[in-house]
Amino acid sequence: MTTQHFLALLLTLVISNIAHGATTEAPSPSPATGNVETTTVTMHMGHTMQHTMDHGTHPGMDHTGMDHTGTHHHGTHHPGMHHTGMDHTGTHHHGMDHTGTHHHSGGDHAGTHHPGMHHTGTHSMDHSGMDHGSGHSSYFYFGHHEVVVLFLEWTINTVPALIGSCIGVFAIAMLYEGLKVWREMLIVRAQDSKKAASNSYSMTNIANGKSTSTLDVDIAPRATTPRTRDQICNCMHALQSLLHIVQVLVSYGLMLVFMTFNVWLCLSVAFGAGAGYFAFGWRRPITVDRNEHCH
Amino acid sequence: MDMPMSFYWSNQAIILFDGWSVQDATGMAFSVIGIICAGALFEGVKRLVGWVGKGKGMLVNRDTGDTSDPEERTPLLKSPPDVALTRKRKHMSHNAVLCRSRLRYHLAQSLLHVLQVVLAYCLMLVVMTYNGWLAIAVFLGAGLGYFVFFADMEIKA
């Protein structure tokens, strides 16, 4: 199963995150203005921000001049923000000018759990006491609060929404396995019909649903090809290419769903893949070679 | 180190390396084209791994002595995450694997496999930037690469 290996990848991600967090835990003076705010700047990297945040409720915090409209902070000037001891390797602050007196203790943004933090719409947010830390969880968690799945609109806040999302993800994983089997079937069926067309092959085998053709991927280009085969080839190949795009899309989407680190969603992906493999596997036209343990 | 958790559409992104930072539409357009090429190249490398040593008697099934390539039964229809996260022996090695020419081909195939895994992981990391344009570039690159490099799948008579 691909998910097993994906777990290994995530494990390395977690380990690297922990290591990175450890290096940024530099001892630095406590914030001068009393309000500890882990910066929101790193949160906005890469986010399309279409609002202005109202920071009027921040005693002592000077955010005048901080421009959150727009997308990136490259080159913007942040008076009042001072990041002592913060390790910016990996966080994207090219060209930023950090002058001022605002202190950020630590600066460790990894590991703090705030999935689903998003700033759509115009609203005034009350930052007092709210931890802006990392919007991405680095470890598996059980929960249904503020879970963002792939798109900002797909946010889970309640248990029924979580259950519905789990069922949806289960169905998508199942359909993904079905898509893979379907593509194999299409190829074999096309080659059966091609063989019948070019070799006046007996139709009884096709009618019985048996397929004796195997795929032979031949890199060397053929000199001459019969016309009927060309026509079938091009249509089928175009369709296969489109299905390949869909397959790549769905597989990446499932990977990203797994990356939400929500245990329920991850289990849904895994069991959906298993159910799909079970349900569609008996229709697989070609038996899986015993050395292909992870298809 | 924070990552976005949902797809966004923006012309600014940092792709894989700190130095590859895209600021405007032109940079994003070039990056999209580059990633399409990388995705297509990845599909090409997938074909290349099977092609190296194909006609050299490398593909001998250990159990049955069958020389047909077991991998050629549709596992090439894999998407990049499947490729990156699947460790499988693509070619059976004959008993005489330590024969010098076979070793050389096996070494070449292994290096190509490393390249394939690296490309697959890089493409996955590009999708993980959650930038909509870059993700679309990866998907289109995969489709284009499949269309170009897998165009000659033919039946065995």
Side-chain angles (χ1 to χ4, degrees), chain B residues 82-126:
Chain B
D82 284 335
V83 171
L85 303 171
T86 303
R87 260 177 267 123
K88 67 196 266 305
R89 309 251 324 265
K90 291 213 161 82
H91 299 289
M92 310 305 126
S93 52
H94 198 59
N95 286 337
V97 70
L98 293 180
C99 172
R100 193 167 296 249
S101 66
R102 288 214 170 104
L103 188 60
R104 206 168 292 150
Y105 279 112
H106 189 62
L107 191 61
Q109 277 172 336
S110 303
L111 289 176
L112 271 177
H113 181 73
V114 169
L115 176 67
Q116 181 183 341
V117 169
V118 166
L119 270 178
Y121 271 113
C122 287
L123 287 174
M124 183 191 72
L125 289 174
V126 166

Side-chain angles (χ1 to χ4, degrees), chain B residues 1-16:
Chain B
M1 195 159 102
D2 179 52
M3 280 190 281
M5 280 311 293
S6 54
F7 280 106
Y8 65 94
W9 302 92
S10 163
N11 283 338
Q12 281 94 19
I14 296 193
I15 309 170
L16 290 184

Side-chain angles (χ1 to χ4, degrees), chain B residues 40-108:
Chain B
L41 191 73
F42 169 70
E43 302 284 334
V45 170
K46 273 203 289 190
R47 284 302 291 270
L48 198 62
V49 173
W51 176 74
V52 167
K54 185 174 176 67
K56 310 293 181 180
M58 285 290 297
L59 314 175
V60 180
N61 192 309
R62 205 172 17 196
D63 301 321
T64 67
D66 182 19
T67 52
S68 67
D69 189 355
E71 196 224 38
E72 301 305 336
R73 292 181 229 146
T74 66
L76 292 171
L77 302 180
K78 275 193 214 171
S79 49
D82 284 335
V83 171
L85 303 171
T86 303
R87 260 177 267 123
K88 67 196 266 305
R89 309 251 324 265
K90 291 213 161 82
H91 299 289
M92 310 305 126
S93 52
H94 198 59
N95 286 337
V97 70
L98 293 180
C99 172
R100 193 167 296 249
S101 66
R102 288 214 170 104
L103 188 60
R104 206 168 292 150
Y105 279 112
H106 189 62
L107 191 61

Side-chain angles (χ1 to χ4, degrees), chain A residues 74-288:
Chain A
H74 290 261
T76 52
H77 182 62
H78 285 267
M81 295 258 296
H82 186 54
H83 299 262
T84 52
M86 189 179 289
D87 180 15
H88 283 278
T89 59
T91 57
H92 314 127
H93 289 268
H94 300 277
M96 265 173 117
D97 180 20
H98 296 282
T99 60
T101 57
H102 201 86
H103 292 267
H104 291 261
S105 68
D108 173 26
H109 302 288
T112 49
H113 169 57
H114 247 274
M117 168 117 19
H118 58 280
H119 304 279
T120 52
T122 54
H123 58 285
S124 62
M125 285 162 47
D126 182 8
H127 289 266
S128 53
M130 190 150 126
D131 185 3
H132 274 269
S134 167
H136 172 238
S137 176
S138 307
Y139 46 85
F140 288 102
Y141 66 94
F142 296 84
H144 58 273
H145 293 289
E146 300 269 343
V147 181
V148 179
V149 186
L150 290 185
F151 302 100
L152 280 175
E153 292 82 14
W154 189 353
T155 311
I156 301 174
N157 286 310
T158 63
V159 174
L162 178 69
I163 293 177
S165 297
C166 283
I167 293 176
V169 167
F170 186 94
I172 291 175
M174 207 162 146
L175 290 177
Y176 172 67
E177 296 290 325
L179 175 67
K180 287 199 281 188
V181 171
W182 185 42
R183 282 185 74 198
E184 292 177 25
M185 280 172 49
L186 277 182
I187 289 183
V188 169
R189 196 177 298 162
Q191 293 183 346
D192 275 346
S193 59
K194 265 193 288 183
K195 235 166 127 179
S198 58
N199 295 338
S200 64
Y201 183 77
S202 160
M203 294 300 290
T204 57
N205 274 356
I206 293 177
N208 292 339
K210 284 198 304 186
S211 164
T212 57
S213 67
T214 59
L215 289 180
D216 182 20
V217 183
D218 188 5
I219 297 273
R222 294 271 180 102
T224 58
T225 49
R227 264 184 76 154
T228 56
R229 184 199 262 178
D230 275 347
Q231 287 177 339
I232 302 173
C233 243
N234 289 335
C235 273
M236 181 51 58
H237 190 59
L239 175 65
Q240 279 288 333
S241 298
L242 288 177
L243 287 181
H244 188 73
I245 294 183
V246 172
Q247 182 179 337
V248 168
L249 216 146
V250 174
S251 71
Y252 272 117
L254 286 175
M255 180 201 76
L256 291 174
V257 165
F258 209 96
M259 255 182 57
T260 61
F261 268 99
N262 187 303
V263 171
W264 307 117
L265 291 177
C266 296
L267 287 177
S268 303
V269 169
F271 283 113
Y277 184 88
F278 180 74
F280 297 103
W282 69 276
R283 300 202 60 180
R284 212 174 269 268
I286 295 161
T287 57
V288 179

